[in-house]
Amino acid sequence: MNIQFRESQEAASPLTVKTAIADCDIHPARATRTELYPYLAKRWQHHLEIYGVHAYQGMMEGPPYPKAQPNASRRDAYPPEGGPQGSSLSFMQKQLLDPNNVQLGVLNPLNTGQGIRNHELSAALCSAINDWQIDKWTSRDKRLKASIVVGNEDGLSAAAEIRERAGDKNFVQVLLLSRNVEPLGQRRYWPIYQAAEEAGLPVGVHAFGFGGNPITPSGWPSYYIEEMVGHSQCQQSALASLVLEGVFERFPKLKMVMIEAGFGWAPSLAWRLDKVWQRLRSEVPHVKRPPSEYIREQVWWTTQPMEDPERREDLFDVINWIGWDRLLFATDYPHWDYDEPSRVLPAGVSEANREAFYLGNAQKLYGLA
Amino acid sequence: MARHVIAPVDELPPGTRKFLEIDGRPIAVFNIKGEYFGLMNRCPHQGAALCEGPLIGLAQSNSPGEIEYTKLGEIIRCPWHGWEFDIRTGQSYCDPRRFRVKAYPAHVEPGASVVKGPYVAETIPVSVESDYVVVEL
């Protein structure tokens, strides 16, 4: 029989009952350039029309490296009604949430108001994107939860935005990106951590962003593949800074989530930090305990893009070090390096660990258990 | 191995592809410059609808600075993770040892021979005057 594949796939999906999961990295997009205008003061609408947006990045306003798929997204994720991938709730429900039985989906809007040189515009755009997340997404699908996007380079206005949203059950975390003007442990960012700790909200650090620095510690690389790999290097610098500046010491209830930067490097970074800390402890006396202890106690990790070593035992060794209670499953939908829920975890994982990996850890961390 | 009549030849002009399900298997049949290719429409990596991806060429290099670009339009690139497969053989180029997508022979048969069978043509009315695209699986 001749049937269009797409139709049959859609017809078949509701019949499959799958284990419930959380997806801790979903990227909602705007369908049009002006979709945020209803949430922006006229002053900023006109500012955007006249002056545009200037990011912490030289000469160009797009992403620093061209992407390998349109909008860095799956080619099969264009909504039927038009607009870019990730811009339609009904299609996201049909393609991601329903067939995969996603019970908790955490929205992480990118390219919003972060990394912009005009800090007042940055704050206005972030506030608008937060209103937009409620209006377009979380108020229409209770499975979805929003992230408080904050103007990252102005700690005080970022903290004000967090305090304004604190207690609003639409939001489950504060969102930062890994590329900033300075390493994330620096004091200019402390008001963000303080406000998040007070609000009882984890702070997610998602790969990407604009900081004006070369995207690797050794300069601008030639290839997109180097940007992709470089996300873990960038996140390592951010995490080392958070530990060594004393952020975890100063804010002991703060929880950080490393998003989309891998986790295979976590043990090696922690071992190296511990070793050097033993020798140079007096330089950073405010770091009272071995760095690995802060990392193990205050850091969570999203899984995608999941490390995929040849031997699954190697993966399990890493996870055992991090802790099965620290991983948060994520797909990165609709982006092209999406992880399919049923295909990421090799065989040989206990039922309890599997449940924690896919759902339980996220529910607990985000206060939805 | 059964032969399935999937379309009259003028319904699948060069540069087009047709998606079907045959015996529960998602299949795509391509017409590339008059040659026909059948391929399983499921990526062996994470299960995406592979054949909805773009057809590109094969970039290869013997040493840095030398690039050969061949097999133009014969490499299917997955719409999710960009894994590349040779449309003629189903061979993977990122991990040929572990991954291959099933390729099915496809070609054109005149209506006269299709009418005689043994072909499966459940939904395609077949007449002797036309030519048909046939895929074997």
Side-chain angles (χ1 to χ4, degrees):
Chain A
M1 217 167 67
N2 297 337
I3 307 169
Q4 287 295 315
F5 174 53
R6 213 186 250 288
E7 287 170 14
S8 73
Q9 186 188 41
E10 285 167 2
S13 50
L15 301 174
T16 322
V17 179
K18 291 189 179 171
T19 314
I21 63 168
D23 184 346
C24 297
D25 190 20
I26 300 175
H27 299 296
R30 282 157 278 174
T32 63
R33 188 179 61 84
T34 56
E35 197 167 298
L36 281 190
Y37 279 20
Y39 314 102
L40 276 176
K42 271 279 183 289
R43 183 254 184 281
W44 292 119
Q45 294 178 25
H46 293 164
H47 183 97
L48 287 174
E49 299 292 338
I50 297 167
Y51 301 103
V53 168
H54 302 286
Y56 282 96
Q57 174 174 289
M59 306 309 286
M60 58 184 284
E61 300 302 350
Y65 285 75
K67 306 299 180 184
Q69 303 279 28
N71 304 312
S73 293
R74 286 168 44 169
R75 285 172 184 263
D76 62 351
Y78 283 106
E81 66 267 39
Q85 301 97 320
S87 64
S88 155
L89 173 62
S90 61
F91 193 60
M92 183 187 285
Q93 291 166 333
K94 194 169 190 173
Q95 191 169 45
L96 174 74
L97 303 179
D98 298 344
N100 291 303
N101 196 8
V102 175
Q103 288 201 350
L104 164 62
V106 180
L107 302 176
N108 290 321
L110 304 180
N111 302 321
T112 52
Q114 299 184 311
I116 291 172
R117 290 175 186 270
N118 179 333
H119 289 180
E120 289 186 47
L121 172 60
S122 175
L125 282 168
C126 288
S127 184
I129 208 87
N130 293 334
D131 287 338
W132 170 85
Q133 287 183 84
I134 299 174
D135 247 22
K136 179 167 175 175
W137 305 92
T138 60
S139 65
R140 298 176 193 208
D141 191 320
K142 292 299 171 198
R143 295 170 292 186
L144 294 176
K145 293 292 175 185
S147 295
I148 304 175
V149 182
V150 294
N152 50 316
E153 300 301 348
D154 179 3
L156 292 178
S157 75
E161 180 71 18
I162 296 168
R163 293 199 172 97
E164 195 172 310
R165 308 282 176 179
D168 182 337
K169 294 298 175 198
N170 287 292
F171 296 94
V172 293
Q173 71 179 352
V174 174
L175 183 65
L176 293 176
L177 301 177
S178 60
R179 293 179 188 150
N180 300 276
V181 168
E182 293 187 281
L184 269 183
Q186 303 269 334
R187 302 234 172 166
R188 62 190 292 166
Y189 306 115
W190 283 25
I192 299 172
Y193 307 130
Q194 185 182 357
E197 188 189 48
E198 282 169 14
L201 293 169
V203 176
V205 181
H206 189 287
F208 208 72
F210 301 102
N213 304 301
I215 64 161
T216 80
S218 50
W220 290 101
S222 303
Y223 304 111
Y224 176 43
I225 190 171
E226 293 177 278
E227 181 185 37
M228 292 295 289
V229 172
H231 286 312
S232 58
Q233 300 156 9
C234 184
Q235 207 93 348
Q236 291 182 50
S237 310
L239 183 53
S241 170
L242 287 162
V243 172
L244 297 174
E245 295 281 352
V247 169
F248 294 123
E249 186 62 43
R250 173 69 182 74
F251 305 107
K253 294 201 178 92
L254 179 67
K255 296 171 177 177
M256 302 288 297
V257 187
M258 302 286 118
I259 306 174
E260 206 183 335
F263 55 79
W265 46 267
S268 98
L269 176 71
W271 293 330
R272 201 169 177 85
L273 278 169
D274 281 4
K275 181 154 190 165
V276 185
W277 175 80
Q278 287 165 349
R279 290 154 172 75
L280 303 176
R281 195 209 51 79
S282 63
E283 187 189 20
V284 284
H286 50 273
V287 182
K288 293 181 188 156
R289 296 186 286 144
S292 63
E293 291 189 13
Y294 300 105
I295 293 175
R296 290 212 223 206
E297 288 169 20
Q298 289 179 256
V299 177
W300 279 253
W301 313 78
T302 67
T303 56
Q304 178 280 340
M306 183 89 166
E307 268 92 349
D308 192 13
E310 299 86 350
R311 290 170 5 101
R312 64 181 180 181
E313 290 76 14
D314 294 339
L315 178 71
F316 295 156
D317 283 348
V318 169
I319 297 181
N320 285 333
W321 185 93
I322 292 173
W324 278 96
D325 59 339
R326 292 295 153 135
L327 294 182
L328 309 169
F329 176 74
T331 68
D332 196 30
Y333 181 89
H335 289 169
W336 69 267
D337 44 349
Y338 170 87
D339 266 350
E340 165 68 22
S342 60
R343 304 289 276 265
V344 295
L345 204 53
V349 181
S350 74
E351 196 51 45
N353 285 343
R354 184 172 284 272
E355 195 280 332
F357 175 96
Y358 277 114
L359 182 63
N361 296 340
Q363 287 179 324
K364 206 179 290 175
L365 174 68
Y366 292 122
L368 302 164
Chain B
M1 185 175 286
R3 297 177 163 206
H4 298 262
V5 181
I6 65 131
V9 77
D10 53 2
E11 264 186 28
L12 198 64
T16 63
R17 58 188 91 173
K18 179 165 184 171
F19 299 97
L20 330 101
E21 191 171 297
I22 302 178
D23 296 339
R25 276 174 286 189
I27 308 286
V29 179
F30 298 77
N31 180 342
I32 300 175
K33 297 176 192 160
E35 274 190 280
Y36 299 87
F37 303 95
L39 216 59
M40 172 79 93
N41 189 15
R42 187 187 294 136
C43 185
H45 173 220
Q46 290 199 358
L50 171 67
C51 298
E52 293 183 21
L55 287 164
I56 60 170
L58 179 66
Q60 286 177 302
S61 174
N62 285 324
S63 67
E66 292 174 18
I67 295 172
E68 269 195 334
Y69 199 55
T70 58
K71 295 180 180 281
L72 206 57
E74 296 180 10
I75 303 296
I76 185 89
R77 185 169 188 273
C78 184
W80 286 7
H81 305 99
W83 283 28
E84 298 164 345
F85 297 87
D86 192 317
I87 202 158
R88 290 181 183 274
T89 61
Q91 184 205 317
S92 147
Y93 278 92
C94 63
D95 195 347
R97 200 170 44 84
R98 284 170 64 206
F99 293 100
R100 166 181 296 277
V101 63
K102 182 81 181 148
Y104 302 102
H107 57 273
V108 171
E109 294 262 353
S113 84
V114 170
V115 165
K116 271 188 278 172
Y119 295 90
V120 184
E122 292 167 31
T123 60
I124 307 264
V126 171
S127 75
V128 288
E129 292 80 26
S130 306
D131 292 339
Y132 295 89
V133 181
V134 170
V135 63
E136 298 179 26
L137 73 164

